[in-house]
Amino acid sequence: CAGTAGTRSMVGYLGERLDGDTVVELDFTEYDKNTQLMLDHGVDMVCAGILFSPPEAYYKSFLPKMYEHLREKGWDRKAFIYGWDEFKPEKLAEVRQDHAWIKQFAPTFRHLIPVNHAENLPDPDDPGIMDIWVPVLGLYSRQFADERAKHGQSVWAYIVNGSEGSFDVQRSMDHYRSLFWNLWRRRCAGFLYYGTTFYHWAPGTADFNPDGSPKKTFLGRGGSNMDFLCYPAGARPEDGLNASVR
């Protein structure tokens, strides 16, 4: 994961210059290996970047390279760009511009953004600014999903800590089972589950026993560890992962 100007591409950078003319060289070795592993195990979507309104020059340099590589691999129609996370209404114009650049430089990539402000949801006749809308569950409705379907878009949902609930470890199993039953009953097209195959490898020595095994209190980022389905199995990254209580 490399980051510049609020942008993460999930691929290695061999070189980059963002002052004046933009030059980006990408190393797809690890990206291709991990993406193929996920596809082999049933994943049907590929993250092609996490872009939070970088400059136009970055789009022109980065996205065409991602697009061409994924086209060569046959993955471009599985690819999505994760945009402004829970963007505020005052960022609407920037998100709209991001969408236009994605469609210009990577036309088959889908644009996906979680939305937690009702005023950012488009009117029925507005084509909108993304391909996969992910409103927080309290904003999801079947009517909105049907309206977006007319524009060739789909609608998922997600939950956040402190509102519809979260995946805090102290909740009982009926909470999670009723959530997914509710999504199925309302014919929701998808669910954005934060942190399924992602964790922060940032433990300290206090998180591990003398033999290198993780303590039972290990939480990674503190709090109730709502973000993760896994955690380090040892003090070194090469020790791999353990599944969490989820």
Side-chain angles (χ1 to χ4, degrees), residues 71-109:
R71 283 189 65 189
E72 291 176 356
K73 299 289 290 186
W75 297 342
D76 63 297
R77 294 189 178 278
K78 298 178 182 290
F80 70 94
I81 296 292
Y82 192 104
W84 281 88
D85 188 274
E86 298 180 336
F87 64 96
K88 296 180 179 179
E90 56 265 29
K91 294 292 184 181
L92 187 60
E94 293 181 61
V95 175
R96 191 177 298 276
Q97 181 60 72
D98 287 353
H99 185 73
W101 282 335
I102 291 170
K103 294 307 170 186
Q104 178 181 351
F105 300 121
T108 59
F109 287 5

Side-chain angles (χ1 to χ4, degrees), residues 122-128 147-148 150-151:
D123 295 329
D125 295 330
D126 184 347
E147 291 170 358
R148 291 298 94 202
K150 294 177 181 178
H151 296 281

Side-chain angles (χ1 to χ4, degrees), residues 203-220 225 231-235 242-243:
T205 55
D207 296 312
F208 294 94
N209 298 310
D211 64 357
S213 61
K215 294 181 178 179
K216 291 184 179 181
T217 56
F218 181 86
L219 293 177
N225 196 22
Y231 60 93
N242 280 335

Side-chain angles (χ1 to χ4, degrees), residues 177-196:
R177 291 175 177 173
S178 63
L179 167 68
F180 289 106
W181 175 84
N182 188 26
L183 294 168
W184 169 81
R185 181 180 63 85
R186 298 165 73 180
R187 306 197 304 282
C188 187
F191 180 73
L192 185 65
Y193 194 151
Y194 178 59
T196 49

Side-chain angles (χ1 to χ4, degrees), residues 88-167:
K88 296 180 179 179
E90 56 265 29
K91 294 292 184 181
L92 187 60
E94 293 181 61
V95 175
R96 191 177 298 276
Q97 181 60 72
D98 287 353
H99 185 73
W101 282 335
I102 291 170
K103 294 307 170 186
Q104 178 181 351
F105 300 121
T108 59
F109 287 5
R110 287 172 287 179
H111 192 196
L112 180 156
I113 304 181
V115 179
N116 65 344
H117 293 277
E119 52 265 54
N120 288 337
L121 299 179
D123 295 329
D125 295 330
D126 184 347
I129 52 174
M130 65 191 79
D131 304 293
I132 302 175
W133 294 82
V134 191
V136 68
L137 185 58
L139 296 179
Y140 175 85
S141 72
R142 191 63 227 173
Q143 178 182 349
F144 178 68
D146 291 341
E147 291 170 358
R148 291 298 94 202
K150 294 177 181 178
H151 296 281
Q153 301 161 9
S154 60
V155 179
W156 298 6
Y158 75 105
I159 59 176
V160 294
N161 193 18
S163 59
E164 295 87 357
S166 68
F167 288 92

